[in-house]
Amino acid sequence: MSNVTDDESNELSPEQRLEPRNIRLIDPSIATIDDMDTLRTCVAYENTHQNRIQILRRLKRRAEEIRSKEA
């Protein structure tokens, strides 16, 4: 279990979310994104810096999850 609160999670930068020291933390970092603004910022960061197809797919899936919760 993580000790990170939702507010702390929302304060993570795209770099912290998408380029952690341990790559196993990328999926949990993406899973904690709970708003489209943060997600768009992460997509823009990924497109500019790494452009990894797998990460962009995970971000797309998260966007779909967020949209379904908002509907």
Side-chain angles (χ1 to χ4, degrees):
M1 289 258 323
S2 172
N3 291 330
V4 176
T5 65
D6 287 341
D7 291 338
E8 289 170 333
S9 174
N10 289 333
E11 294 175 7
L12 294 175
S13 71
E15 182 177 7
Q16 290 170 313
R17 287 183 188 278
L18 302 175
E19 296 189 33
R21 291 181 187 199
N22 182 339
I23 62 169
R24 288 187 233 166
L25 297 176
I26 293 175
D27 283 339
S29 293
I30 291 173
T32 63
I33 298 172
D34 60 0
D35 64 276
M36 292 304 289
D37 289 337
T38 301
L39 188 107
R40 285 184 194 104
T41 301
C42 289
V43 169
Y45 178 88
E46 184 63 26
N47 282 327
T48 301
H49 292 88
Q50 297 287 338
N51 205 21
R52 297 168 288 189
I53 299 299
Q54 298 88 350
I55 301 301
L56 291 169
R57 284 184 185 145
R58 291 179 191 149
L59 290 166
K60 180 181 177 186
R61 261 183 290 174
R62 185 64 188 141
E64 292 166 354
E65 292 169 359
I66 292 170
R67 285 186 195 111
S68 70
K69 288 180 184 178
E70 291 176 350

